[in-house]
Amino acid sequence: MIALTDTVDAPVDRVLDLIADRYGPAVGLDPSRVEVDREHGRIAYQGGWWYRGEYEVTEEAGHTRVTHRVLNVAGRGSRWAVPLANKFFIGFRDRTTAGFRELLREAGGSR
């Protein structure tokens, strides 16, 4: 549905900590699941019937590259219904981008 990427002047661990804090135990979608793989720099949050947000955080040439993807993980038969069922899709890309930019600012600013 959306993929964003940028680099920041912050250590990988700091960025992973910020993301993990942001997607702590519960952020409102039920049932939800948070997956943290620090060794590979990945954090995923899956909740509700369709939403999965994935972050990949890697060291790159002295900076940290942060990639955020939002995926529609609804079942095959209901995948088409996600945009119709969720009125908040109006402005979804702008809100997702703004949240990503805020995360980068908190981490140390984007390059």
Side-chain angles (χ1 to χ4, degrees), residues 42-103:
R42 296 187 183 120
I43 296 178
Y45 176 84
Q46 189 163 327
W49 61 282
W50 72 270
Y51 181 90
R52 181 173 176 90
E54 298 179 340
Y55 285 89
E56 184 175 1
V57 182
T58 56
E59 195 278 325
E60 179 180 285
H63 307 290
T64 297
R65 175 163 297 283
V66 183
T67 300
H68 175 52
R69 293 177 188 88
V70 176
L71 308 170
N72 174 356
V73 294
R76 192 172 184 167
S78 60
R79 182 173 303 255
W80 62 271
V82 171
L84 297 175
N86 292 285
K87 293 180 182 180
F88 72 87
F89 270 70
I90 296 172
F92 177 73
R93 178 173 291 276
D94 291 339
R95 285 191 308 276
T96 301
T97 300
F100 181 71
R101 297 282 170 233
E102 179 59 29
L103 173 72

